[in-house]
Amino acid sequence: MNRMTPYMFIAPAALVMALALFYPIGYMMWGSFRDWDPTQNISETEFVGMANYVRLWGDAFFWESFSVTLIFAFTVVVVEMVIGVGLALLLDRNIRGMSVLRTLFILPMMIAPVVVGLVWRFMFHQTYGTFNRFLDWIAGWRIWEWLGIESPIQPVDWLGQNPLLSVIIADIWQWTPFIFILSLAALQSLPRSALEAARIDGATGWQQVWFIKLPLMAPVLVVTMLLRLIDAFKVLEVILVMTGGGPGLSTEILALRIARTAREFRELGEAAAMSNYLLMLLMLLTLGMFAFNRWTEARSRKLKFAAEEEG
């Protein structure tokens, strides 16, 4: 058999995949170099070179959206990783009804983002929302009113006063189960010989977690974190429904800014340039995370090898 024969067999499928993957990206990149109005065919638009990219460097709205996106993405991912991995470590044991518990945990992930946004918008409502009703139950506003005294705790306008915190809480509620499920799967696939060896050597529960479980889980955790980071940078529906990007620009993340630039301002070229900036940022993050993952995989392999030798 010729050395090229296997490549010839997979060439048609690879060509189709390459076209499906890269043609839309190439089309978007080509559009970012043009003064592109949605009513025009791209071939009829004016070529403006790097003008869209240069304009964005001096656009204060773009940088505001960019900073909101960074704060949102890194906050939700860090909190979700801490809670998700912590829950997985706590529940990594034989408990009756564990399968039911897992099903309940992943329910938020099954709900459509638009519905999640509507539910949390109602829960944060200043008058009818669950959070303010809970505060009312604690502070007893009606009793204070009946006594003619101002209550020490007032209803909170969550989406008006703390909009970014509100959307962060909604995202954490929906996506922490994703971290939990992958972390639990990683925990349950760890070599039992390593844990047994550590237990025999007298390692405490905390030492087993810090020196054995977390290092062995690290490759899975890095990939999980990368997937959530990519998703958090592109989140749109929940924030659009909960706050619409407001008040002001306080929750206008980059994905929402791109959508507005394309639909409301009819600047498809500029929107494509923003998308390319986001794409480049995510590619840099991905490359950095993959480099870090190679280091964690090498460390994990050494730990497994040492455990097998000791076992």
Side-chain angles (χ1 to χ4, degrees), residues 83-94:
I83 298 176
V85 174
L87 283 174
L89 290 169
L90 284 173
L91 297 176
D92 179 30
R93 57 197 68 191
N94 293 324

Side-chain angles (χ1 to χ4, degrees), residues 218-229:
V220 175
L221 295 183
V222 172
V223 174
T224 305
M225 191 188 302
L226 175 62
L227 292 174
R228 276 302 299 136
L229 262 179

Side-chain angles (χ1 to χ4, degrees), residues 73-74 76-82 85 178-179 182-183 217-233 282 285-286 289-290 292-293 296:
F74 284 105
V76 297
V77 171
V78 169
V79 176
E80 286 167 10
M81 289 297 296
V82 171
V85 174
F178 175 74
I179 310 287
L182 293 187
S183 302
M217 291 167 64
V220 175
L221 295 183
V222 172
V223 174
T224 305
M225 191 188 302
L226 175 62
L227 292 174
R228 276 302 299 136
L229 262 179
I230 292 172
D231 196 51
F233 270 93
L282 291 176
L285 272 174
T286 304
M289 296 289 272
F290 276 141
F292 181 62
N293 198 32
T296 59

Side-chain angles (χ1 to χ4, degrees), residues 170-289:
D171 192 273
I172 290 170
W173 174 82
Q174 186 175 25
W175 289 110
T176 296
F178 175 74
I179 310 287
F180 165 71
I181 292 295
L182 293 187
S183 302
L184 191 59
L187 264 175
Q188 294 182 344
S189 66
L190 295 183
R192 293 295 144 186
S193 56
L195 300 175
E196 283 298 325
R199 199 172 295 123
I200 291 169
D201 288 343
T204 62
W206 172 248
Q207 287 171 331
Q208 289 178 37
V209 168
W210 188 252
F211 295 108
I212 307 293
K213 292 182 179 178
L214 287 180
L216 288 175
M217 291 167 64
V220 175
L221 295 183
V222 172
V223 174
T224 305
M225 191 188 302
L226 175 62
L227 292 174
R228 276 302 299 136
L229 262 179
I230 292 172
D231 196 51
F233 270 93
K234 298 185 301 176
V235 68
L236 176 65
E237 297 96 334
V238 172
I239 295 178
L240 185 63
V241 172
M242 284 183 70
T243 65
L249 299 178
S250 56
T251 56
E252 191 184 71
I253 58 167
L254 203 49
L256 187 53
R257 184 75 192 165
I258 292 169
R260 281 185 170 161
T261 303
R263 289 180 60 85
E264 295 178 19
F265 310 139
R266 303 165 68 88
E267 294 284 353
L268 282 185
E270 196 170 309
M274 282 189 208
S275 300
N276 285 333
Y277 275 134
L278 182 59
L279 178 65
M280 284 187 279
L281 173 65
L282 291 176
M283 285 178 69
L284 287 174
L285 272 174
T286 304
L287 289 173
M289 296 289 272

